Amino acid sequence: MEPPDPRNLVPPGRAAHFSAFVAGVLAVAVLVSAHALVSLATTLPELPAAFWTMAALAVACDARPFLPLGRRQSSSAVFPSTCFTFAILLGWGLGPAVAVQAVAVLVSGVRMGHAPWRTAFNAGQYACALAGAYAVTRLGPGDVFAGGPLRWTDIAAIGGAGVAWFLVNYGLVTAAVRLRFGERWWPNAWHGLPFELLSTGSLLLLAPVLVTAARASAALVPLVLVPLFAVYRMARLTVEQHQLASLDPLTGLPNRKALLAEVNEQVHRHAERGARGEPDARLALLLIDLDRFKNVNDALGHAVGDRLLVEVSGRLTDVVEPPDLVARLGGDEFAIVMTGLADVAEARALADQVVRALAEPVALDGLPLDVGGSIGIALYPEHGEDFATLMRHADVAMYDAKHRSDTVAVYTAESDHNSAERLGLLADLRRVLEAGTAGRAEGGDPPAHAPAVRGGDGAVLPMDERAGLRWWSWRRRPRPVAQDDELIARIVTGADPMLRRAAWPAAPPAAPTAEQWARPVPADGQPGSARADGQSGSARADGQPGSTPDGSRAGPVRNDGQAGSGRADGLAGGGGRPELLPPGVERGAEPAGDVGEIMMYYQPQIAIATGEMVGVEALLRWRHPRRGMVDPEELIRVAEQSAVMRLLTRRVVDDVVEQLAKWSAAGLRLRAAVNVSVRDLHTGEIADQIADRLARYGVAPERLQLEITEGALMADPRRVLTTITRLHRIGVGIALDDFGTGYSSLQHLRRLPLSEVKVDRSFVLGMTDDPDDAAIVRSTIELAKALGLRVVAEGVEDERTWRMLHAAGCDVAQGWFYARPMPAEELVAWLARYRPLRPLGGHDGADADRRPSR
């Protein structure tokens, strides 16, 4: 049995108000037209042939009105009888017009299957509109076509009558829709107004021409059918073009444009349901991406791929029942709009049905093709209140399902790696890097006789003329801006880390001379580290708490994995507490346009056997004016997804090589390790950049070492190996970082020109408590030693781990047991206080010249 037309039904709970409105309209229609209809009985025989011709055409044309398919405006159908009845009104009065319009409405109602109440309402609606138009004509000089030439008052009366007809008719229909469905009045009325003005307005304006022709001869009246047919045909073609623009030409499903319109309309309806407290006020957008579709296109061709898409669209339409909508977005992406949901479980249930439907192989040309799909679900209003937000969140959920090798996933904020917050962070990162690049480009060479070089950390380092180093100081920091207002000056000081350090009461320690490098630490000094938060406390080698200059006790070194020597990924890493701000400067009191400053922290790497510092690992830090210290993992995760990673790597390499030159000028020769990402290794640009910077600053290639992860190797082994080989030929050392956490480790150790292996901190942190971790560390050390590689352990945070690594034969260690990451000038001060520790016990402070063993 065919279901009833929803246009003939009234939603429960609205029948009383809507019925009262319909009855009121009918009552008004009877009142305004009763007298005219009664008098019609006497005037009907006197009406001319032109009237009867118009009446016959009005009834005949309304037997097949113009119905734009898919329209949801207040009055979607266009009835040609409007032209004829309005012309009858102008020529012969209200009674004949209302009578003809009633017959035409009855015929069209029977033809279209309208309910009796609806046919009656339409007749009353038109009667009220005609009565309003007739009242306007009576305000003029009289019958506008009584004879003689038309005056401007006649024309004004005709125009006013048309406006009155349109306002009354459109207003009644819009009010009926509002009362019947509860939809918002103004958006629906405004949305349908252009179409109504074009269609109905054209018919009303044609009526005066029709009356004028009828006055001349009744034979001219049928000629109006030609322009009516032309208007009808043009309107239909226009609607068909709009419909085609909203359909996918391959599958015949609605496309993205139609999906946008559907979601926007359903969002409005569900917002009203939610405002009324109805339980089914949720809307779900399901985004489907086919798996392995590209393999079908590549292997069998696009023609077979198109047939596969048609088959998939058929399966989706079989699963999804109206009023839910299936759309094809393009390629192998489809979308489903589910309406009237109470919770997300209903959307999941439909997604599971879709998965089962797609799981069945598709037989094309005798070849069964396996088609699967990943589905992401976004729910209104929890996950978004507009099409763009719902679409993006469904896309995030769909890719989350793919990454988890799952079939269905509901959006969660934790899976959204491209949120507006992260995009803002990426924009700020680009700004701070471009600002640093511009600052370098504006710099110039210092005078040749300059006796000292002021480093980026503010320390003045003497130039070693015997080294023959040609110096290019092409990086200048902007000078502090003089401020008259004390508050503004404090804000500017708080925004610039260099100015903050200068604002501390105590002067920073001076750079030691060459003799001071080897000077023993006083007898009362305990070996320790300068804290990354700016306090010069000590973390004692015995694992006991050290002391800070103000006499308070420093807490013990933590071993919970929250902080330490392990980097985040790529260029950043290590733990570091935020610096303390100078007195009177509050955190976050920075200018709104400031994006902070990128700076390098350095964590010492210590030879376990001798206790000497043999190198440092360069770690990236970014103090954001509003976010504080940006998490290194978040920073790298954001940068690696865009071309900003290239700018970041360039900045890090420039800063580290420049710092190596400054240390060399001060008589300190260290090896610095820099982490690089997979994007950096896909091209040879990084090798050219490093070679250029080493030559520019006069730094020996062996003093720079690049750390790469196994994940970077697996991304594209061929191109990565080419870049690494070029760097090796230059003389730059290559270290395999996070060893043991990736794939094909032994193959990489055999093929790559490595000089060092770094044991991942996840194993080092647990080796004192977990025998398995300890066994993994010992095995890694033995394997690397057999291959002639240096072994570095990161994440060394207590004495027991330090001694176990020495017993296992590890070469170098880094971690909070020795020192936290710190800025360059703090590293100089820390090294001046540091006394080497040897695993056998005592402190060796007698040797005046301690150089790295490697």
Side-chain angles (χ1 to χ4, degrees):
M1 181 177 179
E2 187 174 337
D5 187 352
R7 293 178 177 268
N8 294 327
L9 302 177
V10 179
R14 300 188 176 277
H17 293 83
F18 181 72
S19 299
F21 176 76
V22 172
V25 171
L26 292 176
V28 172
V30 171
L31 289 176
V32 298
S33 60
H35 177 72
L37 290 174
V38 171
S39 61
L40 178 62
T42 58
T43 59
L44 190 62
E46 301 175 1
L47 293 176
F51 163 79
W52 295 104
T53 304
M54 289 185 191
L57 292 176
V59 175
C61 289
D62 268 16
R64 189 177 180 183
F66 173 47
L67 297 173
L69 299 178
R71 293 193 57 84
R72 300 190 179 186
Q73 282 73 20
S74 300
S75 57
S76 58
V78 178
F79 295 94
S81 63
T82 300
C83 173
F84 298 102
T85 55
F86 190 64
I88 293 173
L89 174 73
L90 296 177
W92 296 283
L94 179 61
V98 171
V100 173
Q101 187 69 76
V103 175
V105 168
L106 179 62
V107 171
S108 64
V110 174
R111 173 72 171 79
M112 299 173 64
H114 289 171
W117 66 263
R118 186 176 177 189
T119 301
F121 172 77
N122 289 338
Q125 152 204 339
Y126 284 118
C128 292
L130 289 170
Y134 181 72
V136 173
T137 61
R138 301 305 297 177
L139 295 177
D143 294 335
V144 295
F145 290 102
L150 293 178
R151 293 166 295 179
W152 68 269
T153 54
D154 297 327
I155 298 176
I158 294 173
V163 172
W165 190 101
F166 183 85
L167 292 178
V168 173
N169 182 75
Y170 193 64
L172 290 176
V173 173
T174 304
V177 173
R178 173 69 177 85
L179 291 173
R180 186 178 170 200
F181 299 107
E183 296 179 345
R184 292 182 296 177
W185 173 80
W186 179 246
N188 287 282
W190 180 258
H191 188 56
L193 186 59
F195 179 81
E196 296 295 335
L197 284 174
L198 179 62
S199 58
T200 307
S202 300
L203 296 175
L204 293 174
L205 292 177
L206 188 59
V209 178
L210 182 60
V211 174
T212 303
R215 293 296 184 184
S217 174
L220 297 177
V221 173
L223 297 180
V224 79
L225 294 178
V226 176
L228 280 179
F229 177 78
V231 171
Y232 175 88
R233 186 59 181 167
M234 291 177 62
R236 176 169 290 278
L237 290 176
T238 301
V239 172
E240 290 177 353
Q241 289 178 357
H242 281 292
Q243 291 176 345
L244 291 176
S246 299
L247 294 178
D248 174 56
L250 176 64
T251 62
L253 294 176
N255 58 13
R256 181 183 291 268
K257 179 181 178 181
L259 179 68
L260 169 62
E262 176 71 14
V263 171
N264 286 339
E265 180 175 349
Q266 292 296 341
V267 162
H268 291 159
R269 293 188 174 184
H270 286 71
E272 293 167 353
R273 293 180 183 178
R276 295 192 297 266
E278 298 180 7
D280 56 344
R282 286 178 172 81
L283 164 74
L285 179 62
L286 284 67
L287 189 62
I288 307 169
D289 185 80
L290 301 183
D291 298 332
R292 300 175 297 276
F293 178 74
K294 184 177 182 300
N295 298 338
V296 174
N297 268 345
D298 294 343
L300 303 177
H302 289 276
V304 176
D306 290 345
R307 293 168 57 193
L308 178 61
L309 291 176
V310 172
E311 176 65 25
V312 169
S313 67
R315 293 190 180 187
L316 293 179
T317 52
D318 290 340
V319 172
V320 179
E321 298 180 358
D324 297 341
L325 176 74
V326 182
R328 182 188 175 217
L329 303 180
D332 60 344
E333 283 192 340
F334 295 83
I336 299 176
V337 181
M338 292 189 65
T339 58
L341 304 182
D343 53 37
V344 72
E346 299 179 44
R348 274 190 168 276
L350 178 62
D352 292 337
Q353 296 181 29
V354 172
V355 169
R356 289 192 294 270
L358 297 180
E360 294 294 330
V362 178
L364 294 177
D365 298 335
L367 180 66
L369 301 177
D370 289 327
V371 180
S374 301
I375 304 177
I377 302 175
L379 205 66
Y380 168 87
E382 287 85 348
H383 304 149
E385 297 183 353
D386 57 77
F387 173 78
T389 305
L390 290 172
M391 190 69 185
R392 189 175 70 82
H393 288 172
D395 189 65
V396 169
M398 184 266 292
Y399 278 104
D400 184 35
K402 282 186 176 294
H403 293 159
R404 294 190 287 105
S405 299
D406 201 353
T407 52
V408 181
V410 180
Y411 172 79
T412 58
E414 294 76 12
S415 302
D416 194 351
H417 302 305
N418 294 304
S419 62
E421 181 180 359
R422 290 192 174 182
L423 292 178
L425 187 65
L426 179 63
D428 288 347
L429 179 59
R430 178 180 290 276
R431 287 172 56 195
V432 72
L433 291 174
E434 290 177 345
T437 303
R440 290 176 178 271
E442 294 173 0
D445 295 341
H449 60 278
V453 174
R454 181 172 297 276
D457 49 32
V460 178
L461 304 179
M463 290 290 294
D464 188 357
E465 297 179 358
R466 292 173 299 176
L469 176 66
R470 183 179 180 183
W471 190 264
W472 284 268
S473 180
W474 55 300
R475 178 189 181 194
R476 291 181 179 177
R477 294 192 178 276
R479 297 181 179 178
V481 179
Q483 301 288 349
D484 297 331
D485 193 309
E486 181 182 357
L487 176 60
I488 297 178
R490 288 168 57 187
I491 293 176
V492 174
T493 301
D496 191 338
M498 299 301 105
L499 297 180
R500 282 203 301 270
R501 296 193 185 101
W504 284 93
T513 62
E515 295 179 356
Q516 290 173 328
W517 289 120
R519 181 178 299 172
V521 176
D524 58 350
Q526 295 295 333
S529 65
R531 291 172 52 186
D533 58 4
Q535 300 291 342
S536 57
S538 61
R540 294 176 52 180
D542 56 5
Q544 298 299 321
S547 61
T548 58
D550 60 2
S552 61
R553 301 290 293 177
V557 176
R558 295 178 60 182
N559 193 22
D560 56 5
Q562 296 299 322
S565 62
R567 65 183 180 84
D569 187 17
L571 298 171
R577 298 180 181 176
E579 296 182 2
L580 300 178
L581 299 178
V585 178
E586 298 181 359
R587 183 175 304 279
E590 288 85 359
D594 188 18
V595 289
E597 182 179 5
I598 293 288
M599 63 184 70
M600 299 305 301
Y601 275 46
Y602 299 90
Q603 186 169 37
Q605 295 179 333
I606 308 298
I608 298 179
T610 63
E612 298 183 18
M613 186 172 76
V614 296
V616 293
E617 181 180 3
L619 303 169
L620 190 65
R621 294 293 183 266
W622 180 18
R623 183 182 295 280
H624 195 279
R626 295 178 301 278
R627 306 170 188 262
M629 270 294 193
V630 178
D631 180 26
E633 292 186 7
E634 180 75 5
L635 191 157
I636 297 302
R637 188 182 299 115
V638 168
E640 281 188 324
Q641 298 175 0
S642 69
V644 173
M645 194 68 211
R646 175 176 169 271
L647 297 176
L648 190 60
T649 301
R650 178 180 294 274
R651 171 69 177 272
V652 170
V653 170
D654 289 349
D655 285 0
V656 172
V657 175
E658 181 182 4
Q659 188 61 57
L660 286 173
K662 295 174 183 177
W663 283 335
S664 178
L668 178 63
R669 301 186 64 84
L670 292 174
R671 180 182 65 248
V674 176
N675 300 282
V676 293
S677 74
V678 60
R679 294 179 67 101
D680 301 321
L681 300 175
H682 277 179
T683 65
E685 181 180 354
I686 187 173
D688 298 333
Q689 178 192 358
I690 289 176
D692 175 74
R693 296 303 182 267
L694 292 175
R696 179 181 298 232
Y697 285 103
V699 175
E702 60 270 13
R703 293 183 56 199
L704 183 66
Q705 180 168 278
L706 299 186
E707 296 184 359
I708 60 176
T709 62
E710 294 181 68
L713 295 177
M714 293 300 296
D716 193 337
R718 183 181 59 82
R719 288 200 292 178
V720 171
L721 180 60
T722 301
T723 303
I724 290 176
T725 302
R726 289 187 57 191
L727 292 168
H728 176 69
R729 292 172 181 171
I730 295 173
V732 176
I734 305 296
L736 187 60
D737 198 8
D738 298 340
F739 183 77
T741 61
Y743 309 94
S744 305
S745 302
L746 298 180
Q747 179 183 5
H748 294 153
L749 290 177
R750 178 176 58 86
R751 295 177 55 193
L752 297 176
L754 301 176
S755 60
E756 177 180 292
V757 169
K758 297 192 72 173
V759 184
D760 186 69
R761 68 190 307 268
S762 61
F763 302 119
V764 176
L765 287 172
M767 66 181 301
T768 58
D769 301 320
D770 191 337
D772 293 336
D773 285 345
I776 291 174
V777 173
R778 287 194 300 269
S779 300
T780 301
I781 294 174
E782 293 174 0
L783 176 61
K785 289 287 187 180
L787 296 174
L789 302 177
R790 181 173 56 245
V791 183
V792 177
E794 53 183 2
V796 181
E797 298 190 354
D798 55 52
E799 181 180 1
R800 187 180 176 191
T801 303
W802 171 56
R803 294 189 181 279
M804 291 179 66
L805 289 171
H806 175 260
C810 184
D811 299 307
V812 180
Q814 69 180 78
W816 280 20
F817 175 71
Y818 295 107
R820 303 180 185 184
M822 64 192 81
E825 79 278 9
E826 293 183 15
L827 178 68
V828 172
W830 174 86
L831 190 57
R833 299 189 306 271
Y834 173 69
R835 295 185 66 182
L837 285 175
R838 292 187 177 181
L840 296 180
H843 308 292
D844 186 5
D847 298 335
D849 187 16
R850 300 182 179 88
R851 296 297 180 190
S853 58
R854 287 180 180 266

